[in-house]
Amino acid sequence: MSLSYLFRNVIGKSSQYVRLSSCCQHLQTQNFSTSTPSYKDESSGGFHVKDSELDEASEKIHKEYVSAKIRASLPLITSRPLKQLPLHKEPKQAWLETLRSKEDIKLGLIDLHPDVFATYPRIDILHRCIHWQKQYTRINFEKVKTRAEMRGGGRKPWAQKGSGRARHGSIRSPLWKGGGSAKGPRGPQSYWYVLPTRIRERGLRVALTVKYSQDTMHVVDSLDIPHPEPEYLEDLGTERYWGGSVLFIDHKPIEEMPSNIIAATNRIKTYNVMSTEGLNVYSMLKHNTLVLTLDAVNFLEERLLYHMNRYTGDFKYDVIMSQQLNRVDAFNKQAS
């Protein structure tokens, strides 16, 4: 197989991808295999290599083209403004990725708020949140009958005095075999209770911190994928070592999310899509990998920081922020 056949049939329209001369020079100078080196056919004057080597080279060129095309179509993000950033904390950073290619293409680095993605890990807070999520939907339908609900037992079994036996008034007494229950379950019983907002808010921040510290949280530009086939998502997860279960989060209702990601996740049992309004601690810890869109990161930081600082009041918050800004200005003047 010659290079001309490679560019005509394997790659196709090579002028739209890369220049033919540069590709030929690159392939001719590259050592395709050490065990079976390439050879030159003197009769035809063409440069020939093995079919497997040509497939490998064509796949490499195609991947480089796709990577370059995606990078060219999307802006390179290096930072983002963070609100309510403490002066004594540095922002955390994460790679911005994309789902449009199976390759692990990095679009840039983004800053993450340290109070949301680098808070102190509280395992007790996670336990309280998980226990609350399991209990507030639990209903116990078990029910036993009391002595009043049992059939029979209206007649006194024997006289109060004179028989020498203990006094009883009904054969359905809890003391009797076949009698009613005195302190049995009386369902349906709900185990619903309200966990304080402060605990729920901190539980979300601790769960995001755990995912970020374990390198199982990824930030993507959007949930757009080129194909609705589930094999694409499975291959993408295998290529990026995402594990067996993945949770995709976007700041959109399920109806407004891309149709390809919805169709693909519906056919994979361990791949789920969720909106930011329903994000919870149990779902994040249940899945191996958490994938957040950039819009979801912005929304989570805004809401969690609001609930974290809302107890200080608007006036106190404005005073604290003005003091921090004055300190920053004074530090900049001293440095200059």
Side-chain angles (χ1 to χ4, degrees):
M1 185 182 296
S2 62
L3 283 177
S4 59
Y5 176 82
L6 170 66
F7 284 97
R8 286 198 310 268
N9 301 287
V10 179
I11 299 180
K13 296 182 180 181
S14 61
S15 60
Q16 297 180 3
Y17 293 83
V18 290
R19 292 183 180 179
L20 180 61
S21 58
S22 61
C23 288
C24 292
Q25 185 178 6
H26 171 70
L27 292 176
Q28 289 178 2
T29 56
Q30 183 179 3
N31 185 13
F32 291 95
S33 176
T34 57
S35 59
T36 55
S38 307
Y39 65 93
K40 183 176 181 180
D41 190 0
E42 299 294 342
S43 59
S44 60
F47 186 82
H48 291 264
V49 293
K50 294 177 64 175
D51 294 345
S52 60
E53 297 171 350
L54 286 175
D55 295 338
E56 182 181 355
S58 61
E59 183 179 0
K60 182 178 180 181
I61 293 176
H62 180 68
K63 287 183 178 180
E64 292 178 356
Y65 164 72
V66 172
S67 302
K69 186 176 180 181
I70 293 177
R71 291 191 183 96
S73 61
L74 296 173
L76 184 65
I77 300 177
T78 57
S79 64
R80 48 192 287 268
L82 299 178
K83 298 180 180 179
Q84 307 178 22
L85 181 64
L87 296 177
H88 63 283
K89 293 184 180 180
E90 294 292 335
K92 299 297 180 178
Q93 289 186 331
W95 288 108
L96 181 63
E97 306 174 14
T98 180
L99 301 181
R100 301 181 185 179
S101 174
K102 294 181 181 180
E103 295 182 5
D104 193 7
I105 300 176
K106 309 298 185 183
L107 303 180
L109 279 173
I110 61 172
D111 293 334
L112 301 177
H113 203 287
D115 287 338
V116 178
F117 295 95
T119 186
Y120 187 81
R122 291 281 301 273
I123 307 302
D124 58 323
I125 297 293
L126 295 180
H127 176 265
R128 291 184 62 179
C129 292
I130 294 175
H131 183 267
W132 167 68
Q133 287 188 244
K134 289 184 177 180
Q135 291 295 321
Y136 77 82
T137 57
R138 176 187 170 191
I139 298 178
N140 184 16
F141 291 95
E142 186 178 0
K143 179 182 178 181
V144 296
K145 292 183 179 180
T146 62
R147 61 181 296 173
E149 297 172 340
M150 298 290 293
R151 181 178 178 181
R155 180 178 64 88
K156 190 176 179 63
W158 50 74
Q160 181 79 2
K161 296 177 179 293
S163 64
R165 290 174 289 184
R167 52 198 175 193
H168 290 284
S170 174
I171 62 173
R172 300 308 177 198
S173 171
L175 302 177
W176 284 64
K177 181 181 179 181
S181 177
K183 298 181 180 180
R186 301 288 294 171
Q189 179 184 2
S190 174
Y191 291 85
W192 182 87
Y193 67 96
V194 178
L195 193 68
T197 306
R198 192 76 170 183
I199 303 299
R200 285 181 284 168
E201 167 264 325
R202 186 159 188 177
L204 289 174
R205 292 192 289 120
V206 172
L208 290 172
T209 300
V210 170
K211 285 295 182 180
Y212 175 79
S213 62
Q214 294 178 349
D215 199 19
T216 55
M217 189 196 76
H218 301 271
V219 183
V220 297
D221 56 338
S222 65
L223 296 183
D224 293 327
I225 58 176
H227 308 290
E229 288 78 11
E231 291 79 9
Y232 177 83
L233 270 185
E234 291 178 346
D235 296 341
L236 188 144
T238 303
E239 183 73 19
R240 302 187 185 184
Y241 303 99
W242 281 359
S245 57
V246 183
L247 179 63
F248 298 93
I249 305 297
D250 194 4
H251 183 47
K252 293 179 181 178
I254 300 295
E255 298 78 11
E256 299 179 4
M257 290 186 183
S259 58
N260 289 343
I261 191 71
I262 299 297
T265 53
N266 285 338
R267 299 169 62 183
I268 306 178
K269 185 177 181 180
T270 57
Y271 281 37
N272 299 308
V273 179
M274 184 181 295
S275 176
T276 51
E277 297 293 342
L279 185 62
N280 56 85
V281 175
Y282 181 76
S283 298
M284 284 192 287
L285 299 182
K286 179 182 177 181
H287 294 79
N288 297 123
T289 303
L290 177 67
V291 179
L292 300 171
T293 61
L294 196 57
D295 295 337
V297 171
N298 295 330
F299 175 78
L300 290 175
E301 286 186 352
E302 180 181 358
R303 291 300 297 269
L304 292 177
L305 290 175
Y306 164 74
H307 285 288
M308 188 178 67
N309 299 313
R310 68 176 181 147
Y311 297 98
T312 59
D314 295 336
F315 176 75
K316 292 184 179 180
Y317 171 73
D318 294 339
V319 172
I320 293 174
M321 290 302 298
S322 62
Q323 292 177 356
Q324 290 186 354
L325 292 177
N326 294 334
R327 293 175 185 174
V328 173
D329 294 339
F331 178 78
N332 293 333
K333 291 180 180 179
Q334 293 178 1
S336 60

